């Protein structure tokens, strides 16, 4: 199993879920930009599930050396890499912020996924599960740089799914709403709309087993986004959301 | 670090309920920060103590500090962070052929909570408390320093933290020894006892059994006072179990979980409903003596099958009253206590009797000492304070004491056996109430 964004709470919960269900791998590759923090996770997985891991240092914002990961391959890739960055008001005109958001959520990320997609294509099997965001469903004033990168990412996944379908590789897009994770630790999110990582992992796991294409982590979000997507633009632009 | 401001919390008895700021550190640095940024605080595991032991205006939760560190599958040593639940451990240790040597009646407690309360199980007379099997733990003290504590290293702190109710610092992780098992099943015997004399007799006779416990019907009076069922058990060996189990001896079937989705209204629990419940419970077993094999969940954690069962007591909550009285006074003391309860009409659904063995004198903050221990739950209502006062007087007269981790309103002199190295930083509402 390959995990991109290993320190995300959802990644951790998903890896645990898969192992709890009894699946084992020659190695679990934990991609991370924070090796120290990931060591804890690696140790946990080894101790709890008797599953060997390899930590792969990989910072999406740097110039990446793909030779160093040439040996990495698996039939299952889980991607939770993401970076919220500063929202539009504070970060809109900050170039570094914009670059980071676009690189981590889109441009450099799809390069990395393509790298593994190609390996799966050659083998003619595999599953790619990637987290996008409700923010990518329609640009809103509060976080549209992040949202636009996620929109691009969602489109990429949809196209990749179409392309790889013919090569027997499955691509699943996960659209989480509010999550009770470190990323949102400082934001007060409404409780009924907020999912716990373990809850999300269960939903994602079920969908993975059923080979679903697009999954909303909490069903209410499907409804909410349905409404948000359909508000006419001349009204939408006047809203503050 | 996530800080849940002004959150409503209560422990398992739902009484008392308070507002708190809950810190949820995920790294050593964040633990330090939590300690440094508060005047006083107390560690909180899964809130499975009953009263006010892990309550304070600021609490530091170990909920997100829940990783395994090492599991030596050859020798049975396990090392985990303090927020790991016993249920998390069992999930992987049982398939690997190991059981938690000392476990309380619920598996939803943390390892930190197990050490801080030095929990006991049905095997106290054989294996002692949880701490007997602990090799070392790491403790963060007031100044943010992390100290490894064992019988040789920082021994003072080791012993004062065991049963120390979080008052010495925050336990960050612990290493302890598991017990080898061949199957996930228990060879179980259930025996009916007509009254106190009979059940005491049964305890004496069952000393060689690893696990013993009795469930009492507390509404019985006169001749039937102490009517009960004794359960005793041993980890079943591979030879013993039926063929069906032999195929997959370390695996148990998944059972559907029940859930109590909301608080029961106040009138549900009354002496009549308790009578009916007890009648059903004690008559479901027709034979006087039953022998069978049950999986470990059924044997150790029957209450865990119903999630949120504490809600049947309604919003006002309940308390759990657990005391121990020395063996020589056991029969007489127990009789007086049961009589007082039966007369008060304050029934209890859940009444558990157990005979403690020798205690470890070094673990001076631990609750158990040789003698009989009874645990009962009572719904919080107007008459309860008075009943507890009366019971406290009896427990005191018979030289007994109250289990801190379940205490919410007992007489301070019955719970002041704790001799902690005092820290002004780590302080629970319970400790403040007791030392007021
Ligand atoms: C259904 C049920 C059955 C039970 N049966 C038994 C039984 O048979 N035997 C028995 O002994 N107990 C029993 N208990 C009580 C329970 O085992 C203890 O209260 C246990 O300590 C709860 O652990 P917790 O993780 O929920 O901790 P909490 O309830 O959150 O805290 C309990 C105490 O531990 C301290 N603490 C928690 N974590 C730490 C830490 N990391 N560092 C320092 N201090 C900490 C708290 O400050 C507090 O004083 C039972 C409880 C229930 C609900």
């Amino acid at each position: 199993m390959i995990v991109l964004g290993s320190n995300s709470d959802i990644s951790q919960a998903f890896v645990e879920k898969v192992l709890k269900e009894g699946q084992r791998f020659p190695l679990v590759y934990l991609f991370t930009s924070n090796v120290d923090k990931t060591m804890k996770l690696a140790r946990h997985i080894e101790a709890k599930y008797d599953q060997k891991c390899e930590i792969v240092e990989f910072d999406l914002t740097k110039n990446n050396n793909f030779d160093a990961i040439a040996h990495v391959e698996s039939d299952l890739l889980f991607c939770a890499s993401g970076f919220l960055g500063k929202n539009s008001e504070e970060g809109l005109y900050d170039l570094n912020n914009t670059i980071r958001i676009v690189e981590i959520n889109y441009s450099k990320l799809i390069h990395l996924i393509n790298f593994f997609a190609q390996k799966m294509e050659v083998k003619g099997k595999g599953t790619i599960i990637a987290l996008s965001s409700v923010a990518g469903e329609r640009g809103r004033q509060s976080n549209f740089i992040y949202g636009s990168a996620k929109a691009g990412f969602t489109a990429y996944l949809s196209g990749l799914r179409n392309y790889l379908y013919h090569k027997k590789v499955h691509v699943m897009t996960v659209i989480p709403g509010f999550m009770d994770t470190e990323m949102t630790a400082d934001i007060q999110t409404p409780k009924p709309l907020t999912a716990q990582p373990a809850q999300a992992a269960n939903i994602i796991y079920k969908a993975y087993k059923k080979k679903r294409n697009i999954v909303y982590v909490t069903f209410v979000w499907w409804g909410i986004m349905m409404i948000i997507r359909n508000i006419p633009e001349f009204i939408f632009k006047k809203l503050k959301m | 670090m996530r800080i849940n401001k002004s959150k409503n919390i209560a422990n398992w008895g739902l009484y008392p309920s308070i507002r708190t700021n809950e810190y949820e550190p995920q790294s050593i640095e964040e633990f330090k920060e939590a300690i440094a940024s508060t005047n006083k605080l107390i560690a909180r595991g899964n809130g499975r103590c009953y009263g006010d032991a892990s309550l304070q205006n600021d609490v530091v939760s170990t909920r997100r500090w829940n990783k395994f560190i090492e599991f030596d599958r050859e020798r049975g040593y396990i090392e985990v962070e303090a927020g790991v639940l016993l249920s998390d451990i069992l999930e992987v240790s049982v398939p690997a052929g190991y059981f938690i040597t000392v476990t309380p009646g619920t598996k939803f407690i943390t390892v930190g909570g197990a050490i801080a309360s030095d929990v006991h199980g049905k095997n106290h007379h054989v294996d002692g408390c949880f701490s007997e099997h602990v090799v070392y733990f790491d403790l963060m003290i007031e100044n943010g320093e992390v100290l490894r504590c064992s019988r040789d290293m920082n021994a003072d702190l080791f012993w004062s933290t065991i049963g120390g109710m979080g008052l010495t610092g925050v336990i960050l992780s612990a290493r302890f020894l598991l017990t080898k098992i061949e199957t996930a099943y228990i060879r179980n015997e259930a025996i009916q006892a007509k009254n106190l004399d009979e059940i005491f007799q049964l305890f004496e006779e069952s000393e060689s059994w690893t696990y013993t416990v009795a469930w009492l019907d507390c509404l019985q009076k006169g001749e039937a006072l102490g009517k009960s069922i004794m359960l005793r058990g041993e980890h079943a060996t591979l030879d013993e179990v039926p063929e069906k189990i032999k195929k997959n001896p370390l695996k148990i079937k998944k059972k559907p979980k029940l859930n109590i989705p909301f608080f029961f209204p106040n009138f549900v629990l009354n002496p009549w409903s308790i009578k009916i419940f007890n009648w059903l419970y004690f008559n479901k077993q027709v034979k006087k003596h039953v022998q069978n094999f049950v999986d470990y969940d059924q044997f150790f954690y029957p209450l865990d099958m119903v999630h949120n069962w504490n809600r049947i007591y309604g919003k006002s909550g309940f308390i759990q009253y657990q005391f121990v009285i020395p063996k020589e006074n056991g029969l007489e003391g127990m009789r007086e206590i049961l009589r007082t309860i039966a007369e008060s009409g304050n029934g209890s659904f859940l009444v558990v009797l157990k005979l403690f063995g020798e205690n470890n004198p070094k673990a001076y903050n631990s609750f158990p000492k040789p003698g009989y221990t009874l645990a009962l739950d009572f719904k919080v209502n107007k008459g309860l304070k008075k009943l507890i006062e009366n019971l406290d007087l009896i427990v005191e007269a018979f030289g007994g004491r109250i289990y801190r981790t379940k205490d919410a309103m007992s007489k301070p002199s019955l719970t002041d056996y704790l001799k902690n190295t005092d820290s002004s930083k780590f302080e629970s509402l319970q400790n403040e109430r007791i030392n007021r």
Side-chain angles (χ1 to χ4, degrees), chain B residues 12 43 45-49 104-105 110 113 116-117 119-120 165-166 171 403 405:
Chain B
W12 190 244
N46 204 29
R48 248 39 176 206
C49 64
T110 65
S117 296
V119 298
H120 58 267
M165 304 306 293
I171 299 160
Y403 194 6
T405 208

Side-chain angles (χ1 to χ4, degrees), chain B residues 313-330:
Chain B
Y313 288 88
K315 281 216 161 90
S316 54
F318 66 110
I319 67 156
Q320 173 126 149
Y321 191 76
Q322 182 170 6
F323 62 89
V324 57
I325 48 178
K327 211 171 163 185
E328 56 277 15
N329 300 336

Side-chain angles (χ1 to χ4, degrees), chain A:
Chain A
M1 177 175 192
I2 301 165
V3 185
L4 310 182
S6 302
N7 282 323
S8 115
D9 290 320
I10 305 183
S11 295
Q12 301 198 9
F14 185 74
V15 173
E16 288 219 35
K17 176 70 185 167
V18 171
L19 296 172
K20 209 176 269 186
E21 291 293 329
Q23 232 167 301
R24 289 294 181 275
F25 307 88
L27 267 176
V28 170
Y29 298 96
L30 300 170
F31 279 61
T32 181
S33 55
N34 184 345
V35 171
D36 277 352
K37 210 174 156 194
T38 309
M39 299 247 265
K40 219 172 102 146
L41 175 65
R43 206 179 51 192
H44 173 70
I45 293 171
E46 299 206 6
K48 187 166 183 188
Y49 299 104
D50 209 7
Q51 163 69 62
K52 290 259 170 295
C53 303
E54 180 179 318
I55 296 177
V56 183
E57 186 168 14
F58 202 93
D59 187 335
L60 282 167
T61 59
K62 304 224 169 95
N63 274 330
N64 289 304
N65 171 10
F66 281 79
D67 292 340
I69 57 168
H71 66 291
V72 178
E73 62 178 298
S74 174
D75 288 350
L76 179 60
L77 178 135
F78 185 84
C79 170
S81 292
F83 176 68
L84 196 52
K86 292 210 178 71
N87 63 37
S88 52
E89 265 164 62
E90 293 163 64
L92 179 56
Y93 302 118
D94 177 344
L95 186 58
N96 276 333
N97 180 55
T98 310
I99 291 174
R100 268 179 80 85
I101 291 175
V102 175
E103 283 184 347
I104 299 179
N105 294 301
Y106 184 68
S107 59
K108 292 218 164 135
L109 182 59
I110 66 168
H111 191 25
L112 183 59
I113 294 182
N114 274 341
F115 177 78
F116 294 115
Q118 193 178 12
K119 291 188 174 204
M120 288 185 184
E121 178 180 338
V122 170
K123 280 186 17 191
K125 63 173 178 182
T127 304
I128 295 172
I129 303 171
L131 268 54
S132 192
S133 169
V134 288
E137 309 263 294
R138 190 165 192 180
R140 291 173 295 122
Q141 67 170 0
S142 57
N143 63 0
F144 64 86
I145 302 180
Y146 174 77
S148 65
K150 284 295 192 183
F153 189 54
T154 302
Y156 160 77
L157 290 173
S158 135
L160 187 69
R161 174 165 41 249
N162 186 189
Y163 175 74
L164 288 179
Y165 173 78
H166 303 281
K167 321 277 177 189
K168 307 238 166 1
V169 177
H170 181 58
V171 178
M172 186 168 111
T173 310
V174 180
I175 316 258
F178 293 142
M179 295 288 313
D180 185 12
T181 61
E182 258 207 302
M183 199 187 205
T184 57
D186 305 325
I187 312 171
Q188 288 289 351
T189 55
K191 241 210 165 128
L193 302 184
T194 309
Q196 293 297 325
Q199 237 176 313
N202 284 344
I203 293 168
I204 298 169
Y205 182 80
K206 267 197 203 129
Y208 153 57
K209 285 286 143 186
K210 286 192 183 149
K211 290 199 164 218
R212 299 261 310 276
N213 298 318
I214 300 168
V215 187
Y216 284 81
V217 164
T218 36
F219 186 64
V220 270
W221 279 104
W222 177 83
I224 293 171
M225 293 328 295
M226 188 76 168
I227 294 165
I228 290 183
R229 267 197 309 265
N230 285 306
I231 299 172
E233 193 64 28
F234 74 93
I235 301 176
F236 193 79
K237 74 172 185 194
K238 293 177 193 157
L239 301 176
K240 293 222 155 106
M241 33 192 318

Side-chain angles (χ1 to χ4, degrees), chain A residues 9 12 20-21 37 40-41 43-44 46-50 179-182 184-186 196, chain B residues 1-3 5 26-27 30 63-71 73 81 88 91-92 254:
Chain A
D9 290 320
Q12 301 198 9
K20 209 176 269 186
E21 291 293 329
K37 210 174 156 194
K40 219 172 102 146
L41 175 65
R43 206 179 51 192
H44 173 70
E46 299 206 6
K48 187 166 183 188
Y49 299 104
D50 209 7
M179 295 288 313
D180 185 12
T181 61
E182 258 207 302
T184 57
D186 305 325
Q196 293 297 325
Chain B
M1 156 175 45
R2 181 179 286 269
I3 306 170
K5 293 246 164 69
Q26 276 195 303
S27 64
E30 288 180 351
R63 214 164 65 103
R64 287 172 196 266
W65 189 250
N66 57 2
K67 296 278 182 294
F68 282 47
I69 298 168
E70 204 209 324
F71 180 12
R73 286 171 166 80
E81 289 176 351
D88 297 331
E91 210 175 89
V92 295
K254 271 196 190 142

Side-chain angles (χ1 to χ4, degrees), chain B residues 11-12 42-50 53-54 62 82 104-106 108-110 112-114 116-117 119-120 165-166 169-171 303 309 403 405-406:
Chain B
N11 290 323
W12 190 244
I42 195 76
R44 184 173 157 86
N46 204 29
R48 248 39 176 206
C49 64
Y50 280 80
S54 65
T62 57
T106 172
F108 300 127
I109 71 157
T110 65
S117 296
V119 298
H120 58 267
M165 304 306 293
V170 186
I171 299 160
L303 293 165
W309 62 261
Y403 194 6
T405 208
K406 303 194 173 170

